[in-house]
Short mmCIF file of all heavy atoms in Angstrom, two decimals:
data_model
loop_
_atom_site.label_atom_id
_atom_site.label_comp_id
_atom_site.label_asym_id
_atom_site.label_seq_id
_atom_site.Cartn_x
_atom_site.Cartn_y
_atom_site.Cartn_z
N ALA A 223 13.56 -21.13 29.10
CA ALA A 223 14.12 -20.63 30.37
C ALA A 223 13.54 -21.41 31.53
O ALA A 223 14.31 -21.71 32.48
CB ALA A 223 13.83 -19.14 30.53
N MET A 224 12.29 -21.83 31.39
CA MET A 224 11.67 -22.66 32.46
C MET A 224 12.44 -23.99 32.63
O MET A 224 12.77 -24.39 33.75
CB MET A 224 10.27 -22.93 31.97
CG MET A 224 9.32 -23.42 32.96
SD MET A 224 8.75 -22.07 33.97
CE MET A 224 8.74 -22.95 35.57
N VAL A 225 12.75 -24.56 31.49
CA VAL A 225 13.56 -25.83 31.50
C VAL A 225 14.90 -25.65 32.18
O VAL A 225 15.30 -26.30 33.10
CB VAL A 225 13.75 -26.38 30.11
CG1 VAL A 225 14.70 -27.56 30.12
CG2 VAL A 225 12.42 -26.84 29.53
N MET A 226 15.56 -24.56 31.76
CA MET A 226 16.85 -24.32 32.21
C MET A 226 16.91 -23.90 33.75
O MET A 226 17.85 -24.21 34.45
CB MET A 226 17.51 -23.15 31.36
CG MET A 226 19.01 -23.00 31.49
SD MET A 226 19.83 -24.59 30.89
CE MET A 226 21.56 -24.16 31.15
N SER A 227 15.80 -23.22 34.15
CA SER A 227 15.81 -22.71 35.51
C SER A 227 15.81 -23.94 36.49
O SER A 227 16.14 -23.79 37.66
CB SER A 227 14.61 -21.86 35.77
OG SER A 227 13.43 -22.60 35.83
N VAL A 228 15.32 -25.05 36.02
CA VAL A 228 15.38 -26.26 36.84
C VAL A 228 16.81 -26.87 36.88
O VAL A 228 17.42 -27.21 37.87
CB VAL A 228 14.39 -27.31 36.37
CG1 VAL A 228 14.51 -28.58 37.13
CG2 VAL A 228 12.97 -26.79 36.44
N ILE A 229 17.44 -26.84 35.64
CA ILE A 229 18.72 -27.50 35.51
C ILE A 229 19.75 -26.77 36.24
O ILE A 229 20.76 -27.34 36.82
CB ILE A 229 19.02 -27.63 34.05
CG1 ILE A 229 18.13 -28.68 33.43
CG2 ILE A 229 20.51 -28.02 33.78
CD1 ILE A 229 18.12 -28.76 31.93
N ILE A 230 19.66 -25.41 36.30
CA ILE A 230 20.74 -24.59 36.95
C ILE A 230 20.75 -24.84 38.46
O ILE A 230 21.71 -24.36 39.10
CB ILE A 230 20.61 -23.09 36.65
CG1 ILE A 230 19.28 -22.62 37.09
CG2 ILE A 230 20.92 -22.86 35.20
CD1 ILE A 230 19.13 -21.11 36.98
N SER A 231 19.81 -25.54 39.01
CA SER A 231 19.90 -25.83 40.45
C SER A 231 21.14 -26.72 40.69
O SER A 231 21.68 -26.64 41.77
CB SER A 231 18.63 -26.65 40.88
OG SER A 231 18.57 -27.87 40.22
N MET A 232 21.66 -27.36 39.66
CA MET A 232 22.87 -28.15 39.83
C MET A 232 24.12 -27.28 40.05
O MET A 232 25.16 -27.82 40.51
CB MET A 232 23.03 -29.10 38.57
CG MET A 232 21.97 -30.16 38.53
SD MET A 232 22.47 -31.48 37.49
CE MET A 232 22.28 -30.78 35.96
N LEU A 238 12.57 -23.53 42.51
CA LEU A 238 11.88 -24.74 42.64
C LEU A 238 12.81 -25.96 42.28
O LEU A 238 12.64 -27.00 42.77
CB LEU A 238 10.58 -24.76 41.70
CG LEU A 238 9.53 -23.77 42.26
CD1 LEU A 238 8.52 -23.57 41.13
CD2 LEU A 238 8.88 -24.28 43.48
N GLY A 239 13.71 -25.72 41.29
CA GLY A 239 14.59 -26.80 40.79
C GLY A 239 15.40 -27.29 42.02
O GLY A 239 15.56 -28.55 42.09
N LEU A 240 15.83 -26.41 42.84
CA LEU A 240 16.68 -26.86 43.93
C LEU A 240 15.90 -27.76 44.89
O LEU A 240 16.43 -28.76 45.39
CB LEU A 240 17.19 -25.62 44.73
CG LEU A 240 18.38 -25.86 45.57
CD1 LEU A 240 19.54 -26.38 44.74
CD2 LEU A 240 18.74 -24.55 46.30
N VAL A 242 13.51 -29.78 44.04
CA VAL A 242 13.37 -31.08 43.44
C VAL A 242 14.73 -31.84 43.60
O VAL A 242 14.73 -32.98 44.01
CB VAL A 242 13.12 -30.90 41.90
CG1 VAL A 242 13.05 -32.29 41.20
CG2 VAL A 242 11.70 -30.22 41.69
N ILE A 261 6.56 -26.66 39.54
CA ILE A 261 7.23 -26.21 38.34
C ILE A 261 6.26 -26.27 37.18
O ILE A 261 6.11 -25.36 36.28
CB ILE A 261 8.42 -27.08 38.02
CG1 ILE A 261 9.60 -26.70 39.05
CG2 ILE A 261 8.97 -26.82 36.65
CD1 ILE A 261 10.75 -27.65 38.97
#
Side-chain angles (χ1 to χ4, degrees):
Chain A
M224 197 77 219
V225 170
M226 198 61 180
S227 74
V228 177
I229 290 167
I230 57 172
S231 63
M232 292 199 287
L238 291 168
L240 200 58
V242 177
I261 289 170

